[in-house]
Amino acid sequence: MKAVKFLQSRWRERPRVAIVLGSGLGDVVQQVQGAVRVPYRSIPFFPPPSVQGHSGVLHLGNMARTQVALLEGRMHLYEGYSPAEVVFPVRVLALAGVEVLIVTCAAGGIAPRAVPASLMFFSDHLNFQGSNPLAGPHDARWGQRFVDLSKAYDRDLRSSAVKAARRLKLKFTEGVYVALQGPSYETPAEIRALGRLGADAVGMSTVPEVLAARQLGTRVLAIATISNRAAGLSKKLLSHEEVLEE
Ligand code: HPA
Protein backbone atom coordinates (compact mmCIF):
# COMPACT_ATOMS: atom_id res chain seq x y z
CA MET A 1 0.00 0.00 0.00
CA LYS A 2 3.03 2.20 0.51
CA ALA A 3 3.83 1.77 -3.19
CA VAL A 4 0.24 2.71 -4.13
CA LYS A 5 0.35 5.85 -1.98
CA PHE A 6 3.78 6.76 -3.37
CA LEU A 7 2.52 6.58 -6.96
CA GLN A 8 -0.65 8.48 -6.17
CA SER A 9 1.57 11.28 -4.84
CA ARG A 10 3.47 11.32 -8.14
CA TRP A 11 0.68 11.79 -10.64
CA ARG A 12 -1.38 14.87 -11.30
CA GLU A 13 -4.17 12.78 -12.75
CA ARG A 14 -4.88 9.08 -12.21
CA PRO A 15 -3.88 6.95 -15.25
CA ARG A 16 -6.75 4.97 -16.71
CA VAL A 17 -4.57 2.62 -18.71
CA ALA A 18 -1.37 0.79 -17.78
CA ILE A 19 0.82 -0.49 -20.60
CA VAL A 20 3.54 -3.12 -20.16
CA LEU A 21 6.13 -2.86 -22.92
CA GLY A 22 7.46 -6.11 -24.33
CA SER A 23 10.82 -6.90 -25.91
CA GLY A 24 11.90 -4.39 -28.52
CA LEU A 25 9.09 -1.92 -27.84
CA GLY A 26 11.04 0.55 -25.67
CA ASP A 27 10.70 3.33 -28.28
CA VAL A 28 7.02 3.67 -27.45
CA VAL A 29 7.94 5.71 -24.34
CA GLN A 30 8.78 8.63 -26.64
CA GLN A 31 5.09 8.97 -27.42
CA VAL A 32 4.10 9.77 -23.86
CA GLN A 33 3.45 13.48 -23.50
CA GLY A 34 4.31 15.44 -20.38
CA ALA A 35 5.83 12.32 -18.90
CA VAL A 36 6.84 12.11 -15.27
CA ARG A 37 9.50 9.41 -15.13
CA VAL A 38 9.65 7.34 -11.97
CA PRO A 39 12.53 4.85 -11.68
CA TYR A 40 11.37 1.50 -10.31
CA ARG A 41 14.11 1.64 -7.67
CA SER A 42 12.52 4.74 -6.15
CA ILE A 43 9.13 3.03 -5.70
CA PRO A 44 8.68 1.26 -2.34
CA PHE A 45 8.90 -2.55 -2.60
CA PHE A 46 9.30 -2.63 -6.41
CA PRO A 47 11.53 -5.64 -7.22
CA PRO A 48 15.27 -4.88 -7.39
CA PRO A 49 17.05 -4.83 -10.78
CA SER A 50 18.00 -8.21 -12.22
CA VAL A 51 21.57 -9.30 -12.76
CA GLN A 52 21.47 -7.65 -16.17
CA GLY A 53 20.99 -4.37 -14.33
CA HIS A 54 17.95 -3.01 -16.18
CA SER A 55 15.98 -1.53 -13.38
CA GLY A 56 13.10 -0.05 -15.34
CA VAL A 57 11.18 3.20 -15.44
CA LEU A 58 7.50 3.96 -14.99
CA HIS A 59 6.35 6.75 -17.34
CA LEU A 60 3.25 8.66 -16.25
CA GLY A 61 1.71 10.94 -18.85
CA ASN A 62 -0.65 11.34 -21.75
CA MET A 63 -1.02 9.26 -24.90
CA ALA A 64 -3.80 9.86 -27.41
CA ARG A 65 -5.70 12.02 -24.90
CA THR A 66 -5.61 9.27 -22.28
CA GLN A 67 -3.68 9.28 -19.00
CA VAL A 68 -1.37 6.28 -19.09
CA ALA A 69 1.19 4.53 -16.92
CA LEU A 70 3.80 2.92 -19.11
CA LEU A 71 5.97 0.21 -17.59
CA GLU A 72 9.32 0.17 -19.38
CA GLY A 73 11.26 -2.82 -18.15
CA ARG A 74 9.36 -5.96 -17.31
CA MET A 75 10.38 -8.70 -14.95
CA HIS A 76 10.52 -12.26 -16.29
CA LEU A 77 10.43 -15.54 -14.39
CA TYR A 78 13.51 -16.70 -16.30
CA GLU A 79 15.53 -13.89 -14.72
CA GLY A 80 14.93 -15.47 -11.34
CA TYR A 81 12.14 -13.17 -10.17
CA SER A 82 9.43 -14.88 -8.16
CA PRO A 83 5.93 -14.92 -9.71
CA ALA A 84 4.84 -12.40 -7.03
CA GLU A 85 7.69 -10.05 -7.97
CA VAL A 86 6.85 -10.29 -11.67
CA VAL A 87 3.28 -9.09 -11.08
CA PHE A 88 3.95 -6.54 -8.33
CA PRO A 89 3.95 -3.46 -10.61
CA VAL A 90 0.64 -4.51 -12.20
CA ARG A 91 -0.94 -5.13 -8.80
CA VAL A 92 0.17 -1.74 -7.52
CA LEU A 93 -1.18 0.09 -10.59
CA ALA A 94 -4.47 -1.82 -10.45
CA LEU A 95 -4.91 -0.94 -6.77
CA ALA A 96 -4.03 2.67 -7.55
CA GLY A 97 -7.03 2.82 -9.87
CA VAL A 98 -5.92 1.80 -13.36
CA GLU A 99 -8.93 0.35 -15.19
CA VAL A 100 -7.33 -1.26 -18.23
CA LEU A 101 -4.08 -3.18 -18.66
CA ILE A 102 -2.49 -3.45 -22.09
CA VAL A 103 0.28 -6.06 -22.03
CA THR A 104 2.61 -6.45 -24.98
CA CYS A 105 5.28 -9.02 -25.76
CA ALA A 106 7.25 -10.61 -28.54
CA ALA A 107 6.21 -14.14 -29.49
CA GLY A 108 7.04 -16.93 -31.88
CA GLY A 109 4.32 -17.80 -34.40
CA ILE A 110 2.95 -21.35 -34.36
CA ALA A 111 -0.31 -21.02 -36.34
CA PRO A 112 0.39 -20.64 -40.08
CA ARG A 113 -1.25 -17.19 -40.02
CA ALA A 114 1.06 -15.96 -37.20
CA VAL A 115 3.81 -14.64 -39.44
CA PRO A 116 6.72 -12.35 -38.50
CA ALA A 117 5.87 -8.64 -38.36
CA SER A 118 2.21 -9.34 -37.66
CA LEU A 119 0.38 -8.70 -34.41
CA MET A 120 -1.60 -11.24 -32.45
CA PHE A 121 -4.37 -10.12 -30.12
CA PHE A 122 -4.80 -12.77 -27.42
CA SER A 123 -8.18 -14.46 -27.32
CA ASP A 124 -7.03 -16.88 -24.59
CA HIS A 125 -3.90 -18.48 -23.14
CA LEU A 126 -2.27 -21.69 -21.99
CA ASN A 127 -0.20 -21.30 -18.81
CA PHE A 128 2.70 -23.73 -19.14
CA GLN A 129 5.11 -21.76 -16.98
CA GLY A 130 4.82 -24.20 -14.08
CA SER A 131 3.86 -21.41 -11.70
CA ASN A 132 0.99 -19.07 -10.89
CA PRO A 133 1.43 -15.69 -9.20
CA LEU A 134 -1.86 -16.21 -7.36
CA ALA A 135 -0.49 -19.28 -5.53
CA GLY A 136 0.75 -19.05 -1.95
CA PRO A 137 -0.70 -17.50 1.18
CA HIS A 138 -3.80 -15.54 0.21
CA ASP A 139 -3.62 -11.77 0.55
CA ALA A 140 -7.16 -10.40 0.19
CA ARG A 141 -5.81 -7.01 -0.96
CA TRP A 142 -4.89 -8.64 -4.28
CA GLY A 143 -8.44 -9.87 -4.93
CA GLN A 144 -10.24 -13.20 -4.73
CA ARG A 145 -8.52 -16.52 -4.10
CA PHE A 146 -10.21 -18.36 -6.99
CA VAL A 147 -10.34 -16.33 -10.19
CA ASP A 148 -12.57 -17.01 -13.18
CA LEU A 149 -10.59 -16.92 -16.44
CA SER A 150 -13.33 -17.82 -18.90
CA LYS A 151 -13.27 -14.24 -20.23
CA ALA A 152 -9.74 -13.19 -19.27
CA TYR A 153 -9.21 -11.16 -22.46
CA ASP A 154 -11.78 -8.39 -22.78
CA ARG A 155 -13.91 -8.71 -25.93
CA ASP A 156 -14.63 -5.00 -26.31
CA LEU A 157 -10.98 -3.99 -25.96
CA ARG A 158 -10.04 -6.65 -28.50
CA SER A 159 -12.62 -5.49 -30.98
CA SER A 160 -11.32 -1.88 -30.59
CA ALA A 161 -7.81 -3.19 -31.26
CA VAL A 162 -9.03 -5.07 -34.34
CA LYS A 163 -10.72 -1.93 -35.67
CA ALA A 164 -7.58 0.17 -35.05
CA ALA A 165 -5.37 -2.42 -36.75
CA ARG A 166 -7.70 -2.51 -39.78
CA ARG A 167 -7.69 1.28 -39.98
CA LEU A 168 -3.88 1.37 -39.81
CA LYS A 169 -3.65 -1.54 -42.30
CA LEU A 170 -1.57 -3.60 -39.86
CA LYS A 171 -1.32 -7.32 -40.33
CA PHE A 172 -2.94 -9.02 -37.34
CA THR A 173 -4.55 -12.20 -36.11
CA GLU A 174 -6.36 -13.26 -32.96
CA GLY A 175 -5.29 -16.39 -31.15
CA VAL A 176 -4.14 -18.41 -28.17
CA TYR A 177 -0.80 -17.60 -26.53
CA VAL A 178 1.14 -20.24 -24.67
CA ALA A 179 3.54 -19.02 -21.95
CA LEU A 180 6.61 -21.07 -21.10
CA GLN A 181 9.23 -20.22 -18.52
CA GLY A 182 12.19 -20.02 -20.93
CA PRO A 183 14.82 -18.73 -21.30
CA SER A 184 15.75 -21.37 -23.85
CA TYR A 185 13.60 -21.27 -26.94
CA GLU A 186 11.45 -24.34 -27.55
CA THR A 187 12.45 -27.49 -29.37
CA PRO A 188 10.72 -28.28 -32.67
CA ALA A 189 9.04 -31.24 -30.91
CA GLU A 190 7.69 -28.93 -28.22
CA ILE A 191 6.33 -26.56 -30.86
CA ARG A 192 4.59 -29.44 -32.69
CA ALA A 193 3.06 -30.56 -29.38
CA LEU A 194 2.00 -27.02 -28.39
CA GLY A 195 0.38 -26.49 -31.79
CA ARG A 196 -1.69 -29.65 -31.33
CA LEU A 197 -2.77 -28.40 -27.91
CA GLY A 198 -4.21 -25.26 -29.43
CA ALA A 199 -1.41 -22.69 -29.15
CA ASP A 200 -1.11 -20.11 -31.95
CA ALA A 201 1.93 -18.25 -30.56
CA VAL A 202 4.55 -18.90 -27.89
CA GLY A 203 6.42 -16.66 -25.47
CA MET A 204 7.93 -16.34 -22.00
CA SER A 205 5.87 -13.60 -20.35
CA THR A 206 2.50 -11.84 -20.13
CA VAL A 207 0.42 -14.60 -18.50
CA PRO A 208 1.50 -13.76 -14.91
CA GLU A 209 0.52 -10.10 -15.38
CA VAL A 210 -2.82 -11.09 -16.90
CA LEU A 211 -3.59 -13.39 -13.96
CA ALA A 212 -2.80 -10.67 -11.40
CA ALA A 213 -4.84 -8.09 -13.31
CA ARG A 214 -7.86 -10.38 -13.58
CA GLN A 215 -7.66 -11.15 -9.87
CA LEU A 216 -8.14 -7.43 -9.25
CA GLY A 217 -10.86 -7.08 -11.91
CA THR A 218 -8.75 -4.98 -14.30
CA ARG A 219 -9.76 -5.37 -17.97
CA VAL A 220 -7.02 -6.81 -20.17
CA LEU A 221 -5.87 -6.44 -23.76
CA ALA A 222 -2.78 -8.47 -24.66
CA ILE A 223 -0.87 -8.02 -27.90
CA ALA A 224 2.09 -10.00 -29.20
CA THR A 225 4.35 -8.84 -31.97
CA ILE A 226 5.20 -12.00 -33.86
CA SER A 227 8.96 -11.75 -34.21
CA ASN A 228 9.73 -15.13 -35.75
CA ARG A 229 8.22 -18.44 -36.75
CA ALA A 230 8.56 -20.79 -33.76
CA ALA A 231 11.31 -23.42 -33.62
CA GLY A 232 11.27 -25.90 -36.47
CA LEU A 233 8.73 -23.95 -38.52
CA SER A 234 11.27 -22.06 -40.63
CA LYS A 235 14.80 -22.70 -41.77
CA LYS A 236 16.14 -19.88 -39.59
CA LEU A 237 17.63 -20.45 -36.15
CA LEU A 238 16.14 -18.34 -33.33
CA SER A 239 18.04 -15.42 -31.85
CA HIS A 240 17.21 -12.65 -29.41
CA GLU A 241 18.65 -10.11 -31.86
CA GLU A 242 16.15 -11.14 -34.52
CA VAL A 243 13.33 -10.94 -31.98
CA LEU A 244 14.29 -7.38 -31.01
CA GLU A 245 14.76 -6.27 -34.60
CA GLU A 246 11.47 -7.61 -35.86
N1 HPA B 1 9.63 -18.62 -28.34
C1 HPA B 1 9.48 -18.11 -27.09
N2 HPA B 1 9.51 -16.81 -26.83
C2 HPA B 1 9.66 -15.98 -27.88
C3 HPA B 1 9.82 -16.45 -29.19
C4 HPA B 1 9.81 -17.85 -29.43
O1 HPA B 1 9.94 -18.33 -30.57
N3 HPA B 1 9.96 -15.35 -30.00
C5 HPA B 1 9.88 -14.27 -29.16
N4 HPA B 1 9.70 -14.64 -27.90
Side-chain angles (χ1 to χ4, degrees):
M1 297 308 116
K2 264 195 178 164
V4 173
K5 289 218 174 78
F6 174 85
L7 289 182
Q8 287 172 335
S9 76
R10 284 304 146 110
W11 57 56
R12 274 155 285 181
E13 202 184 323
R14 174 177 63 92
R16 291 186 50 223
V17 178
I19 305 175
V20 178
L21 292 182
S23 298
L25 297 177
D27 287 351
V28 174
V29 302
Q30 289 160 16
Q31 303 192 16
V32 185
Q33 279 156 3
V36 174
R37 297 191 170 79
V38 189
Y40 289 1
R41 62 185 143 67
S42 71
I43 309 172
F45 305 112
F46 255 49
S50 72
V51 276
Q52 287 96 322
H54 311 294
S55 64
V57 180
L58 175 67
H59 302 253
L60 301 168
N62 202 281
M63 254 173 114
R65 294 186 301 281
T66 304
Q67 282 301 117
V68 297
L70 229 133
L71 289 155
E72 180 194 15
R74 84 138 41 96
M75 269 72 73
H76 298 90
L77 293 172
Y78 64 70
E79 294 172 280
Y81 288 108
S82 70
E85 285 176 319
V86 168
V87 302
F88 188 75
V90 164
R91 281 179 162 164
V92 168
L93 287 169
L95 282 178
V98 159
E99 295 152 33
V100 166
L101 175 72
I102 302 179
V103 223
T104 64
C105 63
I110 299 178
R113 66 183 190 281
V115 294
S118 67
L119 300 177
M120 193 185 87
F121 304 129
F122 295 19
S123 55
D124 207 341
H125 75 230
L126 297 165
N127 180 7
F128 285 2
Q129 294 197 301
S131 69
N132 186 313
L134 280 44
H138 182 53
D139 184 336
R141 289 173 302 179
W142 303 142
Q144 294 174 9
R145 164 100 286 189
F146 301 103
V147 177
D148 177 61
L149 294 175
S150 39
K151 292 181 180 164
Y153 298 91
D154 191 277
R155 246 175 206 287
D156 293 339
L157 292 176
R158 192 150 28 105
S159 91
S160 301
V162 163
K163 279 188 203 128
R166 285 212 179 102
R167 196 171 63 239
L168 296 167
K169 299 199 171 26
L170 296 175
K171 208 185 268 183
F172 71 92
T173 62
E174 295 175 64
V176 175
Y177 173 85
V178 60
L180 274 65
Q181 187 182 111
S184 49
Y185 291 112
E186 303 69 37
T187 62
E190 286 168 341
I191 293 300
R192 284 194 298 276
L194 293 167
R196 284 186 194 139
L197 292 174
D200 298 309
V202 58
M204 307 173 191
S205 65
T206 309
V207 163
E209 289 99 323
V210 171
L211 296 176
R214 291 309 302 146
Q215 189 180 31
L216 280 161
T218 308
R219 296 163 67 202
V220 172
L221 171 68
I223 310 173
T225 49
I226 304 297
S227 53
N228 55 279
R229 294 288 296 153
L233 299 181
S234 85
K235 291 195 186 83
K236 280 203 214 160
L237 296 182
L238 302 188
S239 77
H240 189 54
E241 288 66 38
E242 189 202 345
V243 167
L244 293 182
E245 193 179 315
E246 197 68 50

